[in-house]
Amino acid sequence: MPADRTATHGVATAVAHPNIALCKYWGKRDAALNLPSTPSLSLTLAPFRTETTVVWGAERDRVVFNGVENTGGEGRKIFATLDRFGERPPCEIHTGNDFPTAAGLASSASGFAALVVAANAASGANLSDVELAVLARQGSGSATRSLQGGWVEWAMGERDDGLDSHGVAIAPADHWDVRMLVVLVRSGPKEIGSTEGMNHTMRTSPYYPAWVEHAPKDVVEAREAVLARDLEKLGAITERSALRMHASMIAADPAVMYWKPETMRALEVVRTARKSGIGVWATMDAGPNVKALCSAADAATMAALFAEASLSAQVLHPGGAARVVTTAPWRETAR
Ligand code: PMV
């Protein structure tokens, strides 16, 4: 898929929002290509965002993250993604998030989505949306869903090359005005990365096959619920998908346990609110933070209920697709 032509020099800045899966991705059928063992379905969420500038044609390969040069493993994954655009000059990447990184808040999703969109514009590669979604997936699986705004499905696909496994929008951000509250119980990086957690669960959890067996039906039903704007139905699927995913990892040997005491407290707030008649459901990712899905009308009440339990919540709303915000002119050369 590498582009035929790329620029010798170009600069572009792109913005992408994270996404939170309502039906989770947990497990890979192909680890090298990040092909999932299950389909998944997500909502892209603003105002959290990653902003990334790619300088295509710099002195040397370099990543500056939130103003600080990064010399760790993340840089390798970033340059491996740029290498997939084809032959390239050294590149400089300036990237930053306005929300906690690697804390189970999908920063890798918005990060790789912004990266491929900025690199596409800076290099002049002119790849299609599907090609970009496939490249983003190879950087971080869930990133394939942050290319699109609103409600997004990621099919597990059947092909060995993974070209049929990428995020596809099923409804735009303005289709349904729901809210996702993010209850931040820890803002530091997670103890076990998602790839390691998934691989360990696949290898050692006797519940993993049951997770894989039941997940596809949830995605079909969640898609119907989104299209019908049926919050009760979508909420129930959302909560059970997250709890089943965590059940599969808690049953691993040794257990992958992301939960903290505040996690339970936040889940209790959600369950109590629901018993009192509020339509709210919880989800969690590879970290202790809890996210709560509810209607726009109930968001302020939920934030107040979390505050009463000494938990602070940020209210997110459906966000748009990853997009280029600025470009500088580039020179095109045949490779
Ligand atoms: O894309 P990754 O490797 O960061 O994995 C994401 C895994 C979960 O957030 C737990 C679930 C999901 O579907 O986003």
Side-chain angles (χ1 to χ4, degrees):
M1 178 181 28
D4 297 336
R5 302 166 85 79
T6 58
T8 49
H9 183 75
V11 182
T13 300
V15 159
H17 300 292
N19 70 79
I20 295 296
L22 309 171
C23 296
K24 302 296 184 189
Y25 146 57
W26 193 252
K28 303 178 200 262
R29 69 180 168 88
D30 182 315
L33 290 174
N34 272 347
L35 295 176
S37 306
T38 63
S40 56
L41 189 146
S42 62
L43 177 58
T44 299
L45 289 159
F48 282 179
R49 56 188 234 157
T50 298
E51 186 171 310
T52 300
T53 299
V54 172
V55 181
W56 190 268
E59 259 175 36
R60 63 182 170 95
D61 276 356
R62 188 168 166 248
V63 179
V64 179
F65 179 74
N66 279 349
V68 179
E69 180 154 0
N70 180 299
T71 47
E74 295 87 352
R76 274 197 299 281
K77 273 173 88 178
I78 287 173
F79 292 113
T81 299
L82 296 187
D83 289 343
R84 295 190 186 102
F85 278 83
E87 203 178 305
R88 65 167 180 89
C91 293
E92 210 169 284
I93 314 295
H94 294 262
T95 183
N97 300 328
D98 63 2
F99 60 99
T101 300
L105 295 178
S107 55
S108 63
S110 50
F112 279 94
L115 177 71
V116 298
V117 169
N120 194 38
S123 66
N126 214 9
L127 300 183
S128 68
D129 285 357
V130 167
E131 287 170 319
L132 290 179
V134 167
L135 287 183
R137 186 202 73 222
Q138 287 172 261
S140 168
S142 54
T144 194
R145 300 185 310 233
S146 269
L147 265 299
Q148 304 293 331
W151 307 85
V152 181
E153 194 172 326
W154 173 17
M156 63 179 284
E158 287 169 4
R159 294 172 59 131
D160 289 341
D161 62 10
L163 294 182
D164 57 352
S165 183
H166 53 83
V168 173
I170 58 166
D174 63 4
H175 164 72
W176 192 10
D177 195 25
V178 298
R179 292 291 179 271
M180 185 77 84
L181 282 85
V182 174
V183 182
L184 200 61
V185 310
R186 291 283 192 285
S187 59
K190 54 196 160 212
E191 288 156 22
I192 304 169
S194 49
T195 294
E196 193 190 336
M198 285 181 202
N199 292 342
H200 179 69
T201 305
M202 288 179 76
R203 274 198 310 271
T204 67
S205 175
Y207 294 1
Y208 183 73
W211 157 252
V212 171
E213 185 190 334
H214 292 276
K217 188 167 158 276
D218 276 353
V219 172
V220 172
E221 289 179 11
R223 186 197 313 136
E224 287 167 5
V226 168
L227 296 178
R229 299 189 188 88
D230 183 341
L231 191 56
E232 188 108 357
K233 181 171 167 181
L234 181 65
I237 298 166
T238 296
E239 195 165 298
R240 80 171 180 242
S241 173
L243 292 177
R244 285 177 181 175
M245 174 185 77
H246 280 273
S248 77
M249 49 179 120
I250 290 169
D253 190 14
V256 179
M257 187 77 193
Y258 288 111
W259 300 35
K260 300 288 179 202
E262 300 93 325
T263 308
M264 280 309 297
R265 203 155 83 220
L267 293 177
E268 193 56 27
V269 170
V270 170
R271 293 167 82 89
T272 307
R274 204 158 63 226
K275 273 190 210 133
S276 79
I278 300 174
V280 58
W281 292 267
T283 185
M284 292 171 57
D285 292 282
N289 301 317
V290 172
K291 296 103 189 181
L293 174 71
C294 66
S295 69
D298 285 331
T301 309
M302 282 313 304
L305 290 174
F306 285 122
E308 267 173 36
S310 306
L311 295 162
S312 77
Q314 267 174 286
V315 182
L316 308 187
H317 55 84
R323 57 210 176 264
V324 174
V325 289
T326 55
T327 46
W330 44 271
R331 273 185 295 128
E332 193 180 75
T333 54
R335 285 200 293 114

